[in-house]
Amino acid sequence: MPQLYSLQLVPRPGFLRIPERDPLPRGALVLTDNADIAAELSEPAERRTVLVPPEAATWDEDAMARLVAAGDQIRAHIRIVTSVRAAAWPAAPDPRLLALQEAAFLAAKQLAYLNVPDSSLAVLVLDPMREGTPHPHGALLTGLVKAMAWELPRTRVHAVVTDEVKLPAALQQLRRESGCVRGLPVAYYLGQSSTGTRMEERLLPVPETGLGQEDVTSLEWPLEGPVVVAVGGARGITARCIEGMRTPPSVVWLLGSTKQRTMTERAREIGDSSCAEYVRKRRAEDPYVHIAELRRTYDRCRKAQEALSNIAAMRLRSGPTRVHYLGCDITDDAAVRHAAATIRRTTPEVDLLVNGAGISGARRLAAKDLETFRRVRNTKVTGYHNLKSAFTDPAPRLWCNFSSVAGAFGLPGESDYGPANDVLNAAARYETALSRKSERSISWSLWGESGLGPRSGFTEYTERTGQLGLLSNDEGQRLFNAELESVHPGRAAVSTPLGDAELEMLHSQFPDLMDASDRRPYLGVPARVDAHGAVWKLDLAGHTHLGGHVHRSRAILPGALALELAVEAAEYFTGAAPVRTIQNVRFHAPIALHPQMVDYWLTASFASTGYDCGVVRVSIGSRLRLGNSNRHLQHFEALVPIGALAPSTQADEKHVTAVLERGPVPASLSGIFDQLRDVRPTPHSTTARWELRLPRGDDGEFFTSHRIPWLLADALLQAACVTARPNRYATPCSIRELRLHTTATDLELSEPAMNNIQLRAEHKDGLVHATATEPDTHRTLLTITDLEVRGRSAANTSLPSPRKPAREPIAAHGPDHKKPR
């Protein structure tokens, strides 16, 4: 069953994974609609800057082909630069901006023809970002970039929207973004400086209703039912949603693109004939008529029949005087104003306006023509602004746009439909943030029984490829009602119903798009995020399975769990980028599971200098919870390289451990931490067998969300810290590198077939090299290199007293504080 998600702008620092691209490379074609920008970018001579004229007739494919290619030299780098700093709202986009979008479309189409490797297309939008919200008109270009990410697989495509006022500084942001790993190919920079906040859209789950939330004030309709204006409501999903409203409308005004008299004539034209019968009949009358034209005519007539049938059904259900139809081309401003005046004469106030108008032009970029591009865009964008202008003073109590997943994420073949719908999504965010008006946008996927999919033939293609799921009418109506019943402050302005097929498609195309909170079992949502990093307050007391790591009746956290926390924190920023190693680990002080007078904080920030990949620096510290005290203590730190070293395919030296009697295991380890079997310590090495018993079913599923097999790492640390001297044990101080050679979780490794995983630790000069290997294949699973341990007398080692909270801080390290039996 589809669930509601929302694309929301959240702070997220970018990290470099691929070489940066020159923002204005030699030979680039630079397109802009701004004379000041054109003047500033006119030099040097090897770069061609074109000021796009506003005249629509100026652009054709031949003209753009001449611009993109000069002589024998192919210009494979396209740059589009604009400013919406002076753009008004809710006024329609400036004609020069529309012309710039068309030029960008034609330039991208040339890249599709050329199919040049290592080409690039980048967009820079200068935007005031009022209240941290992008201007909707910029989505004409950023929405195009989302579509191009699908259409131009050999081209590096990205965009930056920034409030930076200085063009050179903004271009440097564009440069840095060209090398960043990201979800969607659009980043937003807020703060007008290099220390500002970088933001991007993340896909977050949202509740379908406001139940359980504070300060929820759902929209209440009049007792007799709401007055509804449904644009495009005579057919498709708009009609289905109005029919399925749980609170039936008192009056419905349907706005369609065709006059009712014309629809009646068209319906009469085909009668009960099938398409084949109609074509045979017309061909008999005129053998020279094209079959394709006859099929298009039949399709128009069939749509007219569908609309008339829907209107009749609504009138039968609601009453003939409650349902009205007006023919209105919403791209015609005068026609929309006339329709609005007609409605106000009988129903001055509108409770709900559903903007569901739209036409499909789905076709691959190389095959799409400019005329279709304009028609699809104008139906959405021009139509929206005409409606906004006509339905005002008073405005509808709730405005709901019907958008598309093509606008939210881009899709192949939707280089016109995608950007147009992205404008509607951006408009809903902008209206909600700045005007405080109730405007929503629903980014629908395909409906299997209604909408553009079944009428265009795209539904069958989608079913075959499995890229998008198909909503039933009942599911769509349920989700629409959930949106209407959840209008309250704090509700996301844009919702996107997604099923398993869509989520799988997005994870494949944009692996960093999904929020990783469901993969962070211990950290959850950070307490603070800025352009440099994030801070979490640690609260792990609710995880009862951690209570088995006890010293002197006090639960402390194993150091291996700190490694898991470090990876969770790193992946908050980097999404699905792989983690193979953890380096420069330092254990400074133990971590208490139930702190008494201190708060524990985990901080993650980027450290990229000197590294070939992104690196996240993670530390855990504590602060005394006493008045204004500034007493801090460091407990743990580590570096987490992202996407750096692939797991080795060569196992380290193979060791086979004999099955021995059960050796000494620290008495303070119980539950999931009682893992070592057949322990055999010697002065120079320790061998053991790992045996982990995790719960199965729902309880065990919790461990599938862990990012690394940290319990195996904990067992390896335990084995490394066992000593052969009576009443002596070791405490880990630092690890130069922990390397993961497997992506399996502890739950997978604890299957009965894996219960004989062998652990071996070799001691030399205070350093330990430890390895975990599979029993049969001897494949290396985990290695710890240069583990520094410190041996101490058990009598002289203790945790801080509760009466000394400043020394209470947080962490704990495997068997570090455990006394052997």
Side-chain angles (χ1 to χ4, degrees):
M1 179 180 294
Q3 301 297 319
L4 282 178
Y5 291 81
S6 176
L7 274 180
Q8 299 183 33
L9 273 181
V10 299
R12 193 184 191 205
F15 76 96
L16 299 178
R17 185 177 179 182
I18 55 178
E20 294 178 345
R21 171 81 66 177
D22 189 335
L24 296 172
R26 182 183 180 87
L29 172 63
V30 183
L31 303 172
T32 183
D33 60 338
N34 185 290
D36 293 336
I37 293 175
E40 193 168 353
L41 296 180
S42 60
E43 300 294 337
E46 65 265 17
R47 187 170 64 233
R48 295 193 64 191
T49 301
V50 176
L51 179 61
V52 175
E55 293 81 10
T58 302
W59 293 109
D60 58 42
E61 294 192 31
D62 292 337
M64 182 54 66
R66 289 191 295 271
L67 285 173
V68 173
D72 294 331
Q73 180 183 3
I74 294 177
R75 300 181 184 275
H77 304 294
I78 308 297
R79 299 293 182 267
I80 299 98
V81 186
T82 190
S83 173
V84 294
R85 300 187 65 85
W89 184 261
D94 190 290
R96 289 172 294 187
L97 180 59
L98 295 176
L100 178 63
Q101 188 206 26
E102 294 167 5
F105 159 72
L106 292 175
K109 187 173 180 178
Q110 291 302 311
L111 289 181
Y113 282 141
L114 298 172
N115 196 25
V116 180
D118 200 35
S119 56
S120 64
L121 185 150
V123 168
L124 178 63
V125 180
L126 306 180
D127 187 324
M129 295 282 286
R130 294 185 176 90
E131 297 196 22
T133 306
H135 195 287
H137 292 170
L140 288 165
L141 295 173
T142 57
L144 184 67
V145 165
K146 293 179 184 179
M148 293 304 101
W150 298 81
E151 298 271 12
L152 301 174
R154 304 185 72 185
T155 301
R156 192 181 304 182
V157 179
H158 71 286
V160 165
V161 179
T162 178
D163 66 352
E164 175 60 62
V165 295
K166 297 179 180 179
L167 185 57
L171 288 170
Q172 289 307 306
Q173 293 173 341
L174 191 68
R175 172 194 292 274
R176 177 168 180 80
E177 198 59 34
S178 68
C180 286
V181 174
R182 55 192 163 267
L184 294 174
V186 184
Y188 302 82
Y189 284 80
L190 186 65
Q192 298 187 14
S193 73
S194 60
T195 60
T197 300
R198 178 189 181 275
M199 307 177 76
E200 64 180 50
E201 290 178 301
R202 301 293 299 278
L203 188 62
L204 306 174
V206 295
E208 291 190 12
T209 67
L211 297 178
Q213 301 184 27
E214 296 180 0
D215 301 323
V216 171
T217 54
S218 296
L219 194 65
E220 294 184 0
W221 302 123
L223 291 177
E224 64 276 12
V227 174
V228 177
V229 173
V231 184
R235 290 187 302 111
I237 68 174
T238 311
R240 300 289 84 79
C241 286
I242 301 304
E243 290 173 357
M245 287 180 63
R246 277 195 277 264
T247 303
S250 58
V251 179
V252 178
W253 289 90
L254 306 173
L255 270 62
S257 57
T258 308
K259 302 291 184 182
Q260 188 160 352
R261 178 182 300 176
T262 303
M263 288 195 299
T264 302
E265 293 171 354
R266 289 178 177 175
R268 190 180 301 118
E269 168 75 12
I270 61 173
D272 296 331
S273 302
S274 66
C275 182
E277 292 170 343
Y278 177 75
V279 169
R280 284 196 299 270
K281 176 183 176 183
R282 291 296 308 274
R283 289 275 290 178
E285 297 172 356
D286 182 0
Y288 300 102
V289 66
H290 290 291
I291 293 178
E293 178 59 33
L294 291 177
R295 287 173 176 168
R296 285 192 291 269
T297 300
Y298 181 87
D299 188 53
R300 287 194 296 269
C301 295
R302 183 178 57 81
K303 292 177 181 178
Q305 283 187 337
E306 180 188 349
L308 292 173
S309 176
N310 288 336
I311 294 170
M314 288 185 185
R315 286 173 174 166
L316 182 63
R317 183 171 51 254
S318 302
T321 62
R322 292 175 175 262
V323 179
H324 310 276
Y325 177 86
L326 294 175
C328 176
D329 178 2
I330 63 169
T331 63
D332 183 341
D333 181 56
V336 176
R337 290 185 179 277
H338 176 74
T342 301
I343 292 171
R344 284 205 176 90
R345 281 197 292 269
T346 57
T347 49
E349 294 188 358
V350 175
D351 296 299
L352 170 64
L353 188 146
V354 178
N355 177 22
I359 59 175
S360 173
R363 186 172 293 179
R364 289 287 182 177
L365 176 62
K368 194 181 293 283
D369 61 88
L370 183 57
E371 181 183 356
T372 300
F373 180 91
R374 288 171 176 158
R375 187 170 65 253
V376 172
R377 177 199 64 194
N378 292 346
T379 301
K380 286 285 185 179
V381 178
T382 305
Y384 171 85
H385 285 285
N386 287 343
L387 291 167
K388 273 288 180 182
S389 177
F391 287 92
T392 185
D393 195 25
R397 295 178 60 203
L398 174 62
W399 188 292
C400 184
N401 298 305
F402 278 8
S403 177
S404 166
V405 291
F409 315 112
L411 281 179
E414 304 290 2
S415 54
D416 41 15
Y417 195 68
N421 281 284
D422 205 26
V423 170
L424 299 187
N425 293 340
R429 295 192 189 99
Y430 203 76
E431 285 281 306
T432 301
L434 274 72
S435 303
R436 307 296 187 268
K437 295 179 180 177
S438 293
E439 180 159 340
R440 297 291 181 266
S441 187
I442 305 177
S443 296
W444 293 110
S445 184
L446 285 179
W447 288 46
E449 302 170 82
S450 305
L452 294 176
R455 297 200 303 271
S456 64
F458 193 59
T459 300
E460 290 78 8
Y461 168 79
T462 300
E463 281 188 309
R464 291 197 305 270
T465 61
Q467 285 190 321
L468 297 177
L470 298 177
L471 280 171
S472 68
N473 285 346
D474 289 342
E475 289 172 328
Q477 290 169 344
R478 177 184 66 84
L479 292 165
F480 179 64
N481 279 293
E483 189 67 34
L484 295 184
E485 294 165 4
S486 303
V487 178
H488 56 79
R491 172 77 173 186
V494 181
S495 61
T496 306
L498 299 174
D500 292 340
E502 290 89 352
L503 293 173
E504 183 177 349
M505 175 192 70
L506 293 174
H507 181 73
S508 174
Q509 179 73 9
F510 306 114
D512 292 351
L513 176 64
M514 300 292 293
D515 180 67
S517 60
D518 58 336
R519 301 202 311 264
R520 296 193 302 275
Y522 297 108
L523 288 184
V525 179
R528 185 175 72 255
V529 180
D530 57 29
H532 305 289
V535 178
W536 285 263
K537 183 178 180 180
L538 289 184
D539 182 8
L540 304 176
H543 296 283
T544 56
H545 62 277
L546 300 178
H549 203 277
V550 177
H551 176 76
R552 295 188 177 180
S553 302
R554 192 170 189 192
I556 57 176
L557 303 184
L561 180 61
L563 301 176
E564 164 73 19
L565 297 177
V567 176
E568 289 185 24
E571 290 196 348
Y572 173 77
F573 300 107
T574 60
V579 171
R580 302 304 187 198
T581 66
I582 306 172
Q583 300 174 350
N584 295 0
V585 180
R586 298 289 185 271
F587 301 108
H588 299 295
I591 306 171
L593 180 61
H594 300 281
Q596 296 180 2
M597 296 185 67
V598 296
D599 290 324
Y600 303 128
W601 301 87
L602 183 147
T603 302
S605 59
F606 283 95
S608 58
T609 303
Y611 293 92
D612 295 330
C613 61
V615 176
V616 180
R617 186 183 302 277
V618 180
S619 63
I620 298 176
S622 65
R623 185 171 61 236
L624 183 65
R625 192 191 308 139
L626 186 64
N628 296 323
S629 174
N630 290 321
R631 296 182 64 181
H632 298 266
L633 188 64
Q634 190 80 344
H635 300 273
F636 167 85
E637 56 185 325
L639 293 180
V640 184
I642 303 298
L645 303 172
S648 173
T649 57
Q650 300 294 326
D652 294 342
E653 181 184 355
K654 311 298 187 301
H655 303 284
V656 181
T657 303
V659 179
L660 305 174
E661 70 281 359
R662 180 168 177 170
V665 178
S668 54
L669 295 180
S670 61
I672 61 174
F673 300 110
D674 184 10
Q675 309 176 68
L676 296 191
R677 302 292 182 267
D678 309 325
V679 180
R680 186 175 185 179
T682 72
H684 302 294
S685 67
T686 300
T687 58
R689 180 171 59 86
W690 186 57
E691 183 179 287
L692 179 64
R693 292 286 186 262
L694 286 178
R696 301 294 160 177
D698 294 340
D699 293 336
E701 284 299 313
F702 171 77
F703 292 91
T704 64
S705 62
H706 294 172
R707 306 310 301 138
I708 65 173
W710 67 274
L711 285 169
L712 176 59
D714 179 66
L716 196 56
L717 283 173
Q718 289 183 38
C721 291
V722 171
T723 70
R725 301 175 62 186
N727 300 319
R728 302 284 290 183
Y729 62 95
T731 299
C733 301
S734 66
I735 301 173
R736 183 170 67 83
E737 180 180 80
L738 180 144
R739 179 174 294 206
L740 300 164
H741 301 269
T742 179
T743 58
T745 64
D746 285 310
L747 185 65
E748 294 169 318
L749 294 175
S750 68
E751 293 289 341
M754 301 288 288
N755 263 346
N756 289 319
I757 289 176
Q758 304 298 307
L759 310 178
R760 181 178 181 88
E762 296 182 343
H763 306 255
K764 184 178 180 181
D765 299 329
L767 296 178
V768 183
H769 178 78
T771 307
T773 58
E774 286 185 354
D776 298 325
T777 65
H778 308 305
R779 182 173 66 93
T780 302
L781 299 173
L782 191 69
T783 57
I784 294 177
T785 304
D786 291 349
L787 166 64
E788 181 183 359
V789 298
R790 180 173 62 248
R792 299 191 279 185
S793 169
N796 295 329
T797 304
S798 63
L799 282 175
S801 166
R803 294 188 295 272
K804 299 177 181 180
R807 297 292 300 171
E808 184 180 85
I810 337 185
H813 320 301
D816 310 1
H817 307 284
K818 306 299 181 293
K819 182 178 180 180
R821 291 177 182 172

